[in-house]
Amino acid sequence: MSLELRYFAWVRERIGSPGENIDVPSEVTTVGDLISWLSSKDEGYAAAFAEPDIIRAAIDHEHADHDTALAGAKEVAFFPPMTGG
């Protein structure tokens, strides 16, 4: 499956890129699987996703839980929790 990935705030800073197009293996079927798989790519991804439970995600511009399936997705965005002021 080919996905367009977008990274925001300190997730982007740690990975060193605002986004990428990537082919994910067939065993990656959920947002959580994708986070785990990306974490194993290199130390930048590992740092960005070191605390996976706090990472927020959106699939095709809709907020998604980590157990949400990726089937049919075109874009997945990752961002840290938002705080207001």
Side-chain angles (χ1 to χ4, degrees), residues 6-82:
R6 300 277 185 214
Y7 308 117
F8 294 94
W10 55 255
V11 176
R12 176 186 61 235
E13 292 169 10
R14 292 175 187 178
I15 291 172
S17 172
E20 61 189 313
N21 290 309
I22 196 163
D23 291 322
V24 298
S26 60
E27 64 268 11
V28 174
T29 61
T30 67
V31 171
D33 293 343
L34 182 57
I35 290 171
S36 294
W37 181 74
L38 288 168
S39 293
S40 70
K41 284 184 60 156
D42 72 30
E43 61 190 39
Y45 291 93
F49 297 114
E51 296 181 69
D53 293 341
I54 67 169
I55 297 294
R56 303 294 180 245
I59 296 177
D60 297 329
H61 304 273
E62 296 287 331
H63 287 276
D65 293 325
H66 288 200
D67 61 355
T68 303
L70 295 172
K74 294 185 184 335
E75 178 188 84
V76 179
F78 293 106
F79 45 94
M82 302 297 177

